[in-house]
Amino acid sequence: MAPFLEAIEVSYRYKTPRWVIDGVSFSIEEGEFWGIIGPNGAGKTTLLNLLDGIILPQEGEIRLKEQALGDMSRREIARQVAILPQEVTFYFNFTALEVVLQGRAPFLGALRLEGDKDVEIARHSMAKTGSLQFADQSVTELSEGEKQRVLVARALTQQPRLLLLDEPTANLDLNYQVEVMELVKALSQQEGLTVVMASHDINLAAGYCDKLLLLKEGRVFCQGKPEAVLNQRVLTQVYECDLLVDKNPLTGSPRITLSSRVNCK
């Protein structure tokens, strides 16, 4: 059986000689939760944008259910793939429900008016994410954690089969980090939603992701289960720091501790 999502020797660069993504290949099965990790400038966000079809590979190909993204329209992609970007700015005083309803855009006709069915889907997504209580509140009045739940609900309202997350816990306190990650993990496990998350937080990725893709300078340095990727030799080479790798005593997942600030570049 063909993989749900596949990257085949994908390369991309902006208007510079250096490839930001350089010959990246991997395959993801439906329902898996993958984490993309690596140092600053490794290409994590660019790879997410390639997976969403916002930009197209200059070399290689990305396939979703055996169909090349380059052969699909934006509307076709948006009906299967939702992305939660790292930063979202609200320029208007929308209610939380109005924000979530924006996820129905790929399914609306020329007049772009939501019907009862669209509202029902949006409210159901808000109930799943614990944000229905904020439906009539201005999104600008919500805390960062509450906004993030609303944005996840907006993504779910697209009814995607692939959810892409760019640093979903950035700027959240520890309590909200755990809440958001538990929510995303539950969606993957209970509904078979395929998730790909870019994150700087290695320990968070280790605790929640089924597989990890470790990038260095746009190339795949290592990929596989967290315990295979997150070992001291590999991480020291990629991050150029003295790191200690042991096991989280509660979950058994790999745990990374910075052992020396002096030796970090």
Side-chain angles (χ1 to χ4, degrees):
M1 181 181 295
F4 175 76
L5 179 66
E6 186 176 20
I8 305 167
E9 293 293 325
V10 169
S11 296
Y12 185 86
R13 62 185 173 192
Y14 299 99
K15 295 179 180 180
T16 63
R18 185 180 74 87
W19 292 101
V20 180
I21 296 296
D22 191 359
V24 168
S25 295
F26 59 85
S27 59
I28 298 177
E29 301 300 325
E30 190 165 14
E32 287 187 323
F33 188 169
W34 277 60
I36 304 172
I37 59 174
N40 287 336
K44 299 185 293 295
T45 295
T46 298
L47 182 55
L48 277 190
N49 288 335
L50 286 163
L51 295 179
D52 188 42
I54 296 173
I55 53 178
L56 296 176
Q58 289 150 340
E59 294 183 5
E61 188 174 66
I62 294 173
R63 296 175 182 169
L64 178 64
K65 296 192 292 187
E66 299 188 80
Q67 186 174 4
L69 287 188
D71 295 335
M72 301 169 66
S73 69
R74 282 305 306 159
R75 181 178 287 258
E76 288 175 315
I77 294 172
R79 288 183 174 185
Q80 299 186 66
V81 183
I83 188 167
L84 180 59
Q86 184 175 350
E87 295 184 7
V88 178
T89 301
F90 298 102
Y91 294 103
F92 300 99
N93 196 29
F94 292 117
T95 67
L97 178 58
E98 287 172 333
V99 170
V100 173
L101 277 169
Q102 292 170 3
R104 295 305 297 162
F107 302 92
L108 301 180
L111 297 178
R112 304 182 69 82
L113 297 176
E114 301 92 352
D116 292 342
K117 181 66 174 178
D118 300 304
V119 174
E120 180 185 344
I121 292 170
R123 293 182 68 86
H124 183 59
S125 297
M126 297 184 80
K128 283 182 184 178
T129 59
S131 60
L132 186 56
Q133 59 189 308
F134 313 128
D136 297 323
Q137 287 184 241
S138 168
V139 71
T140 59
E141 297 173 356
L142 303 180
S143 71
E144 290 303 312
E146 291 166 348
K147 287 179 185 175
Q148 198 72 330
R149 284 183 169 270
V150 168
L151 291 171
V152 173
R154 182 176 70 177
L156 293 182
T157 299
Q158 283 181 235
Q159 298 182 306
R161 298 312 308 152
L162 172 63
L163 177 62
L164 306 175
L165 307 169
D166 192 3
E167 301 288 353
T169 59
N171 304 317
L172 300 182
D173 62 29
L174 291 175
N175 179 53
Y176 279 122
Q177 287 183 27
V178 172
E179 284 192 4
V180 169
M181 293 305 298
E182 290 288 343
L183 169 62
V184 173
K185 185 68 173 179
L187 291 169
S188 176
Q189 291 180 329
Q190 297 170 14
E191 301 189 18
L193 185 65
T194 306
V195 181
V196 180
M197 174 185 73
S199 179
H200 280 99
D201 193 325
I202 306 175
N203 286 314
L204 205 64
Y208 286 95
C209 295
D210 302 315
K211 302 277 184 65
L212 296 176
L213 185 77
L214 177 58
L215 296 177
K216 182 179 183 181
E217 297 177 349
R219 292 177 174 268
V220 176
F221 194 90
C222 190
Q223 62 178 296
K225 293 183 178 181
E227 55 269 26
V229 173
L230 301 178
N231 65 70
Q232 190 164 351
R233 178 187 61 81
V234 168
L235 292 178
T236 298
Q237 286 182 269
V238 172
Y239 288 93
E240 301 179 358
C241 283
D242 290 334
L243 300 168
L244 172 66
V245 181
D246 60 5
K247 287 188 177 182
N248 184 308
L250 297 179
T251 65
S253 62
R255 180 177 62 178
I256 293 84
T257 305
L258 183 64
S259 59
S260 173
R261 293 182 181 178
V262 175
N263 294 330
C264 285
K265 292 185 178 181

Short mmCIF file of all heavy atoms in Angstrom, two decimals, residues 195-224:
data_model
loop_
_atom_site.label_atom_id
_atom_site.label_comp_id
_atom_site.label_asym_id
_atom_site.label_seq_id
_atom_site.Cartn_x
_atom_site.Cartn_y
_atom_site.Cartn_z
N VAL A 195 -0.72 13.93 11.49
CA VAL A 195 -0.21 15.20 12.01
C VAL A 195 1.29 15.30 11.74
O VAL A 195 2.04 14.34 11.97
CB VAL A 195 -0.47 15.33 13.53
CG1 VAL A 195 0.06 16.68 14.04
CG2 VAL A 195 -1.95 15.18 13.84
N VAL A 196 1.72 16.45 11.26
CA VAL A 196 3.14 16.76 11.12
C VAL A 196 3.38 18.09 11.82
O VAL A 196 2.76 19.09 11.48
CB VAL A 196 3.58 16.85 9.65
CG1 VAL A 196 5.08 17.16 9.57
CG2 VAL A 196 3.28 15.55 8.91
N MET A 197 4.29 18.08 12.80
CA MET A 197 4.54 19.25 13.63
C MET A 197 6.01 19.65 13.57
O MET A 197 6.89 18.81 13.77
CB MET A 197 4.17 18.95 15.09
CG MET A 197 4.53 20.05 16.08
SD MET A 197 4.22 19.59 17.81
CE MET A 197 5.55 18.42 18.11
N ALA A 198 6.27 20.92 13.28
CA ALA A 198 7.62 21.46 13.39
C ALA A 198 7.77 22.05 14.78
O ALA A 198 6.90 22.80 15.24
CB ALA A 198 7.86 22.53 12.34
N SER A 199 8.88 21.71 15.46
CA SER A 199 9.04 22.19 16.83
C SER A 199 10.51 22.34 17.20
O SER A 199 11.35 21.53 16.80
CB SER A 199 8.37 21.22 17.82
OG SER A 199 8.53 21.66 19.15
N HIS A 200 10.81 23.39 17.97
CA HIS A 200 12.13 23.55 18.56
C HIS A 200 12.25 22.74 19.85
O HIS A 200 13.36 22.49 20.32
CB HIS A 200 12.39 25.03 18.89
CG HIS A 200 12.80 25.85 17.72
ND1 HIS A 200 11.92 26.64 17.02
CD2 HIS A 200 14.00 25.99 17.11
CE1 HIS A 200 12.57 27.25 16.04
NE2 HIS A 200 13.82 26.87 16.06
N ASP A 201 11.12 22.38 20.43
CA ASP A 201 11.12 21.70 21.72
C ASP A 201 11.30 20.19 21.52
O ASP A 201 10.34 19.47 21.26
CB ASP A 201 9.81 21.99 22.47
CG ASP A 201 9.86 21.59 23.93
OD1 ASP A 201 10.52 20.58 24.25
OD2 ASP A 201 9.25 22.30 24.75
N ILE A 202 12.54 19.74 21.65
CA ILE A 202 12.84 18.32 21.38
C ILE A 202 12.13 17.42 22.38
O ILE A 202 11.59 16.36 22.01
CB ILE A 202 14.35 18.07 21.43
CG1 ILE A 202 15.09 19.01 20.49
CG2 ILE A 202 14.67 16.62 21.05
CD1 ILE A 202 16.60 18.89 20.58
N ASN A 203 12.11 17.81 23.64
CA ASN A 203 11.49 16.96 24.65
C ASN A 203 9.98 16.83 24.43
O ASN A 203 9.40 15.75 24.63
CB ASN A 203 11.76 17.52 26.05
CG ASN A 203 13.19 17.27 26.50
OD1 ASN A 203 13.71 16.16 26.35
ND2 ASN A 203 13.83 18.29 27.03
N LEU A 204 9.34 17.91 24.01
CA LEU A 204 7.91 17.86 23.73
C LEU A 204 7.64 16.93 22.54
O LEU A 204 6.72 16.10 22.58
CB LEU A 204 7.39 19.27 23.43
CG LEU A 204 5.91 19.54 23.69
CD1 LEU A 204 5.59 19.40 25.17
CD2 LEU A 204 5.54 20.94 23.21
N ALA A 205 8.45 17.07 21.49
CA ALA A 205 8.29 16.20 20.33
C ALA A 205 8.54 14.74 20.69
O ALA A 205 7.82 13.84 20.24
CB ALA A 205 9.25 16.63 19.23
N ALA A 206 9.54 14.50 21.54
CA ALA A 206 9.85 13.12 21.94
C ALA A 206 8.70 12.49 22.71
O ALA A 206 8.45 11.28 22.60
CB ALA A 206 11.12 13.11 22.80
N GLY A 207 7.99 13.30 23.48
CA GLY A 207 6.93 12.77 24.32
C GLY A 207 5.63 12.48 23.58
O GLY A 207 4.82 11.68 24.06
N TYR A 208 5.42 13.13 22.42
CA TYR A 208 4.12 13.00 21.76
C TYR A 208 4.18 12.41 20.36
O TYR A 208 3.17 11.89 19.88
CB TYR A 208 3.45 14.38 21.70
CG TYR A 208 2.92 14.83 23.03
CD1 TYR A 208 3.67 15.66 23.86
CD2 TYR A 208 1.66 14.42 23.49
CE1 TYR A 208 3.19 16.07 25.10
CE2 TYR A 208 1.17 14.83 24.71
CZ TYR A 208 1.94 15.64 25.52
OH TYR A 208 1.47 16.04 26.74
N CYS A 209 5.30 12.51 19.68
CA CYS A 209 5.35 12.09 18.27
C CYS A 209 5.67 10.61 18.12
O CYS A 209 6.46 10.05 18.89
CB CYS A 209 6.40 12.91 17.52
SG CYS A 209 6.00 14.67 17.42
N ASP A 210 5.07 9.99 17.10
CA ASP A 210 5.37 8.59 16.78
C ASP A 210 6.72 8.47 16.09
O ASP A 210 7.47 7.52 16.33
CB ASP A 210 4.29 8.01 15.86
CG ASP A 210 2.90 8.09 16.45
OD1 ASP A 210 2.74 7.77 17.64
OD2 ASP A 210 1.97 8.50 15.72
N LYS A 211 7.02 9.43 15.22
CA LYS A 211 8.27 9.43 14.46
C LYS A 211 8.83 10.86 14.44
O LYS A 211 8.08 11.83 14.56
CB LYS A 211 8.03 8.98 13.00
CG LYS A 211 7.41 7.60 12.85
CD LYS A 211 8.44 6.50 12.91
CE LYS A 211 7.81 5.13 12.66
NZ LYS A 211 7.29 4.99 11.29
N LEU A 212 10.15 10.96 14.26
CA LEU A 212 10.81 12.25 14.18
C LEU A 212 11.63 12.33 12.90
O LEU A 212 12.22 11.34 12.48
CB LEU A 212 11.73 12.47 15.38
CG LEU A 212 11.06 12.54 16.76
CD1 LEU A 212 12.12 12.66 17.85
CD2 LEU A 212 10.08 13.71 16.84
N LEU A 213 11.67 13.53 12.33
CA LEU A 213 12.52 13.83 11.18
C LEU A 213 13.48 14.92 11.64
O LEU A 213 13.07 16.03 11.93
CB LEU A 213 11.67 14.31 10.00
CG LEU A 213 12.41 14.57 8.69
CD1 LEU A 213 12.71 13.24 8.00
CD2 LEU A 213 11.57 15.46 7.77
N LEU A 214 14.76 14.58 11.72
CA LEU A 214 15.77 15.51 12.21
C LEU A 214 16.50 16.13 11.03
O LEU A 214 17.14 15.43 10.24
CB LEU A 214 16.75 14.77 13.12
CG LEU A 214 17.94 15.57 13.68
CD1 LEU A 214 17.47 16.78 14.48
CD2 LEU A 214 18.82 14.67 14.53
N LEU A 215 16.38 17.46 10.91
CA LEU A 215 17.00 18.18 9.81
C LEU A 215 18.25 18.92 10.27
O LEU A 215 18.30 19.43 11.40
CB LEU A 215 16.03 19.22 9.22
CG LEU A 215 14.75 18.72 8.56
CD1 LEU A 215 13.91 19.91 8.10
CD2 LEU A 215 15.04 17.81 7.38
N LYS A 216 19.22 18.99 9.40
CA LYS A 216 20.39 19.84 9.60
C LYS A 216 20.75 20.46 8.26
O LYS A 216 20.98 19.74 7.28
CB LYS A 216 21.59 19.07 10.15
CG LYS A 216 22.79 19.97 10.41
CD LYS A 216 23.98 19.23 10.99
CE LYS A 216 25.13 20.20 11.28
NZ LYS A 216 26.32 19.50 11.83
N GLU A 217 20.73 21.79 8.21
CA GLU A 217 21.06 22.53 6.99
C GLU A 217 20.26 22.04 5.78
O GLU A 217 20.79 21.88 4.68
CB GLU A 217 22.56 22.46 6.72
CG GLU A 217 23.38 23.12 7.82
CD GLU A 217 24.87 23.00 7.59
OE1 GLU A 217 25.29 22.24 6.69
OE2 GLU A 217 25.63 23.67 8.31
N GLY A 218 18.98 21.77 6.01
CA GLY A 218 18.08 21.40 4.93
C GLY A 218 18.09 19.94 4.52
O GLY A 218 17.31 19.53 3.66
N ARG A 219 18.96 19.15 5.12
CA ARG A 219 19.05 17.73 4.79
C ARG A 219 18.51 16.87 5.93
O ARG A 219 18.55 17.28 7.10
CB ARG A 219 20.50 17.32 4.51
CG ARG A 219 21.08 17.92 3.24
CD ARG A 219 22.54 17.52 3.09
NE ARG A 219 23.09 17.95 1.81
CZ ARG A 219 23.09 17.20 0.71
NH1 ARG A 219 22.56 15.98 0.75
NH2 ARG A 219 23.61 17.65 -0.42
N VAL A 220 18.03 15.68 5.60
CA VAL A 220 17.62 14.73 6.63
C VAL A 220 18.87 14.12 7.25
O VAL A 220 19.63 13.43 6.58
CB VAL A 220 16.72 13.63 6.05
CG1 VAL A 220 16.38 12.61 7.15
CG2 VAL A 220 15.44 14.22 5.47
N PHE A 221 19.06 14.40 8.53
CA PHE A 221 20.21 13.82 9.23
C PHE A 221 19.85 12.45 9.78
O PHE A 221 20.67 11.53 9.79
CB PHE A 221 20.66 14.75 10.36
CG PHE A 221 22.01 14.42 10.91
CD1 PHE A 221 23.15 15.01 10.37
CD2 PHE A 221 22.16 13.53 11.96
CE1 PHE A 221 24.41 14.71 10.86
CE2 PHE A 221 23.41 13.22 12.47
CZ PHE A 221 24.54 13.81 11.91
N CYS A 222 18.60 12.32 10.24
CA CYS A 222 18.15 11.05 10.83
C CYS A 222 16.63 11.07 10.87
O CYS A 222 16.02 12.13 11.00
CB CYS A 222 18.73 10.91 12.24
SG CYS A 222 18.51 9.28 13.00
N GLN A 223 15.99 9.92 10.78
CA GLN A 223 14.54 9.82 10.92
C GLN A 223 14.17 8.47 11.49
O GLN A 223 14.88 7.48 11.31
CB GLN A 223 13.84 10.07 9.60
CG GLN A 223 14.13 9.09 8.49
CD GLN A 223 13.32 9.40 7.22
OE1 GLN A 223 12.09 9.34 7.21
NE2 GLN A 223 14.02 9.75 6.15
N GLY A 224 13.04 8.43 12.20
CA GLY A 224 12.59 7.18 12.80
C GLY A 224 11.91 7.44 14.14
O GLY A 224 11.51 8.57 14.44
#
